[in-house]
Amino acid sequence: MTDKTNTMWGGRFAAGPDAIMEAINASIGFDKRLAAQDIAGSRAHAAMLAAQGILTDSDADAIREGLLTVLSEIETGTFAFSTALEDIHMNVEARLKEIVGEPAGRLHTARSRNDQVATDFRLWVRDQADVAEAGLTALMQALLAQAEAGADWVMPGFTHLQTAQPVTWGHHMMAYVEMFARDRGRFRDARARMNESPLGAAALAGTSFPIDRDATAAALGFDRPMANSLDAVSDRDFALEFLSAATISAMHLSRLAEELVIWSSAQFRFVTLSDRFSTGSSIMPQKKNPDAAELVRAKIGRILGANVGLLTVMKGLPLAYSKDMQEDKEQVFDAADNFMLALAAMTGMVGDMTANRDALKAAAASGFSTATDLADWLVRELNLPFRDAHHVTGTLVAMAEDKGCDLPDLSLADMQSVHDGITNAVFDVLGVENSVQSRTSYGGTAPEQVHAQIARWREDLG
């Protein structure tokens, strides 16, 4: 243990912790990622102390210049981080003292590491919410481009992964635009709620110094200071809300990734993924593996795990700060890194992939996908109760299965053998193109509806 460390702690800990305590207590291995936020918070705090007459202008100037030097050293990789100094706050302060001397010791006036770390972490998570929003916007734009290119391309819609009704490629792409738009909204909402400053809450009770918390909040881009000092240092719900939004969005990414894995298979051939997001096999030369999609599909495990992990850390903590909360950062850092990576990979895959229009249409026409159109026609034209129409249609599907054909391939005589009221007009609704054209209800799959939604989102995304 160095004298410098003992001085930072004070006489109470003159002997210093042993190696095990140092290892479990130190967080510099991961919280050095908060360096930029820590220095920004310290600069705002020093400026406020000077404005309030708590620091002299000369001390504040020295601290400001010294902090810029520390930041430059960190950014250029020349800063020597010390595990003995525990965390990013003590590492920065110790180096600041080496640079500017005695004024560095005045920087910590009217604050604690408790409000300092809460401020740093909140700033970092806020930055990540902004990055997530930008990433989701880019993914939505890629999906929108796919939807626009194939707004009227017919493909099968599925339930239970069984052919259900024909839809359009554009409609399917726009479903994910809507999902990711809600994800973007969740990050925006989380950011708005987290945008309050803990700085000035000190250890837990505030401070007797005449500080200006509104000034530091404004300097750091917060809307206001947090209204309760206990709450300010003791909760991490802002990080949990970020993780919750990331978990939901990662689930949506995983669903889309699963579809890309299925669609790019030899059995479907709905899409071709670019070589940039595929790999080959070490033994089977014919293989083109959708590895990027598979990895995106898996990322939710880490992100959900981080969410559960932090909830578990926080669930039994009394107010205010406990050292347990040092366990809040690593899992958030990991989840954010992996979410942003998955988001970027999915945006690349969607932007590069090519949809096979012919394969989509052929699949749409199989599996009795227009059975519901037939039932609707029986209700509309023959005034049958829907349950009766459902029974008639089911009988005709069974007949087509026996004959090895699809519904449009049955003869009129075949159909009339089940219900004599059926006329040739029924064949107008049995084609997949006619089916999707007819689904004109708001939010439906008809191309006119798809184009309307594309236009709405084009205006929104700019």
Side-chain angles (χ1 to χ4, degrees):
M1 185 63 64
T2 65
D3 290 339
K4 179 168 65 176
T5 304
N6 293 339
T7 301
M8 298 296 290
W9 266 112
R12 170 68 180 83
F13 294 93
D18 62 20
I20 295 174
M21 181 60 193
E22 182 178 292
I24 197 171
N25 197 48
S27 60
I28 189 59
F30 52 86
D31 71 11
K32 61 187 177 183
R33 291 185 66 163
L34 300 176
Q37 289 79 16
D38 190 72
I39 289 171
S42 290
R43 292 184 65 197
H45 184 66
M48 179 276 296
L49 291 177
Q52 295 298 106
I54 301 170
L55 273 187
T56 64
D57 288 341
S58 60
D59 281 351
D61 288 343
I63 289 169
R64 180 179 64 252
E65 294 304 317
L67 287 171
L68 289 175
T69 300
V70 173
L71 180 61
S72 175
E73 291 177 353
I74 292 172
E75 290 177 341
T76 57
T78 61
F79 188 94
F81 291 101
S82 168
T83 303
L85 290 170
E86 293 185 21
D87 57 30
I88 186 62
H89 324 298
M90 300 295 269
N91 270 265
V92 169
E93 188 174 331
R95 178 63 181 136
L96 181 65
K97 187 173 183 179
E98 291 176 349
I99 295 170
V100 305
E102 192 250 0
R106 303 184 187 280
L107 175 59
H108 210 53
T109 305
R111 74 174 181 182
S112 161
R113 281 197 293 180
N114 292 357
D115 64 332
Q116 192 176 356
V117 69
T119 302
D120 294 357
F121 197 24
R122 196 172 283 252
L123 286 170
W124 191 90
V125 174
R126 187 182 71 181
D127 290 343
Q128 294 303 299
D130 291 340
V131 173
E133 180 180 342
L136 284 164
T137 298
L139 176 54
M140 291 166 65
Q141 288 170 330
L143 288 162
L144 200 60
Q146 285 284 352
E148 202 161 28
D152 58 352
W153 296 3
V154 181
M155 67 174 290
F158 299 95
T159 60
H160 309 279
L161 203 55
Q162 305 294 313
T163 300
Q165 294 175 258
V167 295
T168 56
W169 172 258
H171 194 55
H172 201 110
M173 293 295 101
M174 292 304 295
Y176 283 107
V177 171
E178 296 289 339
M179 290 183 207
F180 292 121
R182 291 193 297 275
D183 293 340
R184 189 178 67 164
R186 275 182 276 271
F187 282 110
R188 285 176 173 174
D189 291 345
R191 190 198 194 283
R193 266 184 293 280
M194 74 176 68
N195 204 33
E196 295 182 338
S197 174
L199 193 56
L204 76 163
T207 178
S208 59
F209 288 95
I211 62 173
D212 184 351
R213 293 191 64 207
D214 288 300
T216 51
L220 294 170
F222 289 113
D223 294 330
R224 65 191 69 83
M226 295 184 73
N228 184 285
S229 59
L230 285 168
D231 175 49
V233 300
S234 68
D235 209 347
R236 295 294 184 267
D237 57 353
F238 64 92
L240 285 166
E241 194 166 6
F242 172 83
L243 288 176
S244 296
T247 299
I248 294 171
S249 191
M251 175 270 295
H252 286 148
L253 287 170
S254 187
R255 294 183 73 182
L256 178 52
E258 169 71 355
E259 294 205 308
L260 296 186
V261 170
I262 294 171
W263 290 351
S264 62
S265 68
Q267 290 71 31
F268 274 74
R269 299 188 185 277
F270 284 4
V271 301
T272 301
L273 299 178
S274 74
D275 290 346
R276 295 200 309 157
F277 294 98
S278 306
T279 64
S281 167
S282 62
I283 191 171
M284 294 169 284
Q286 84 281 10
K287 294 289 292 300
K288 183 177 181 181
N289 299 324
D291 282 10
E294 291 170 353
L295 288 165
V296 170
R297 184 174 59 185
K299 289 296 184 184
I300 186 173
R302 299 174 70 144
I303 297 165
L304 174 59
N307 197 5
V308 174
L310 184 53
L311 278 168
T312 306
V313 167
M314 297 300 300
K315 73 172 183 64
L317 298 185
L319 299 181
Y321 181 84
S322 296
K323 192 68 170 180
D324 310 49
M325 292 163 68
Q326 184 169 292
E327 293 295 309
D328 58 358
K329 297 172 197 67
E330 280 184 284
Q331 48 208 333
V332 177
F333 292 159
D334 183 77
D337 289 347
N338 280 280
F339 176 67
M340 304 312 171
L341 180 58
L343 200 51
M346 182 57 75
T347 303
M349 280 186 286
V350 169
D352 283 0
M353 72 181 179
T354 303
N356 185 341
R357 184 176 186 178
D358 292 338
L360 292 169
K361 185 173 182 179
S366 66
F368 312 107
S369 63
T370 56
T372 304
D373 297 277
L374 173 55
D376 288 347
W377 185 88
L378 293 169
V379 171
R380 188 170 57 250
E381 300 299 326
L382 304 186
N383 201 30
L384 291 184
F386 184 81
R387 288 302 170 198
D388 293 347
H390 188 283
H391 177 74
V392 169
T393 301
T395 303
L396 290 170
V397 166
M399 179 185 293
E401 281 185 317
D402 288 341
K403 290 177 175 287
C405 66
D406 212 329
L407 283 173
D409 302 317
L410 291 174
S411 68
L412 179 59
D414 289 333
M415 294 192 180
Q416 288 178 338
S417 71
V418 176
H419 193 288
D420 59 10
I422 297 175
T423 68
N424 261 319
V426 73
F427 292 101
D428 293 336
V429 302
L430 291 182
V432 289
E433 301 280 358
N434 291 333
S435 175
V436 296
Q437 292 283 354
S438 71
R439 306 291 172 179
T440 56
S441 57
Y442 180 79
T445 193
E448 65 181 76
Q449 283 294 322
V450 175
H451 282 297
Q453 295 301 327
I454 290 170
R456 178 173 70 88
W457 279 110
R458 280 284 178 215
E459 183 176 354
D460 179 274
L461 296 177

